[in-house]
Amino acid sequence: GKPEASLVELEWPNYYFFGKEGVLMLAEEADEQPDVALMHESFEKLGEMAPPPCGAEAEEEPTLLQYFASCGLSSRVLDLADAIFANDYGADMSDVGLHEVMHEQRHWTYGEKYLVLRGACLQDAMESLGRGLDVRTAWRVQRIDA
């Protein structure tokens, strides 16, 4: 049968884990720390920065990690930021281009909350959505219809 599931809306992030210290901390508590506040301020400023000039070379583009380091973030908070933004962007900060993050910050309209599925998992959702679909793996594609 179907699992009993519900969606819960939480602030993003709702807690932080400082790995080197082995400390899990509520976001409200961590956000009061000057180095964490600097991380948030630095990220928010990205939406206010001028976009790069047209034709700017990709090789010249700094990474999100380089930007945060230039803002004076401590290594403790750089590690935290890497975990937070790796989750958002699906890559380490050293692999995320600053211009893309600036663009997203300027155009983000979805708020700062996220949804958590309680009583089920994404596998349950995929199985439910996939029922009745003819899914084949390890098959060569012969044609793609547009």
Side-chain angles (χ1 to χ4, degrees), residues 25-73:
M25 190 178 297
L26 289 173
E28 299 109 25
E29 184 182 342
D31 290 343
E32 293 177 11
Q33 297 183 7
D35 55 352
V36 175
L38 178 60
M39 175 188 69
H40 289 300
E41 290 165 17
S42 300
F43 187 71
E44 292 303 318
K45 284 181 186 174
L46 287 172
E48 302 162 8
M49 292 170 65
C54 282
E57 294 295 319
E59 297 88 44
E60 297 172 14
E61 180 177 3
T63 66
L64 185 56
L65 175 62
Q66 289 169 324
Y67 167 73
F68 275 143
S70 73
C71 292
L73 270 62

Side-chain angles (χ1 to χ4, degrees), residues 71-93:
C71 292
L73 270 62
S74 65
S75 85
R76 168 185 188 251
V77 177
L78 284 173
D79 289 346
L80 178 64
D82 201 25
I84 291 170
F85 299 112
N87 184 64
D88 285 356
Y89 297 110
D92 293 335
M93 288 193 308

Side-chain angles (χ1 to χ4, degrees), residues 126-127 129-139:
M126 290 187 299
E127 288 172 2
L129 291 170
R131 272 193 205 102
L133 294 179
D134 182 17
V135 177
R136 301 173 189 194
T137 59
W139 282 52

Side-chain angles (χ1 to χ4, degrees), residues 1 11 13 18 39 55 62 80 91 96 101 115 124 126 135 137 143 145:
E11 293 294 327
F18 295 92
M39 175 188 69
L80 178 64
V96 175
V101 179
L115 298 174
D124 297 321
M126 290 187 299
V135 177
T137 59
R143 182 180 78 238
D145 296 325

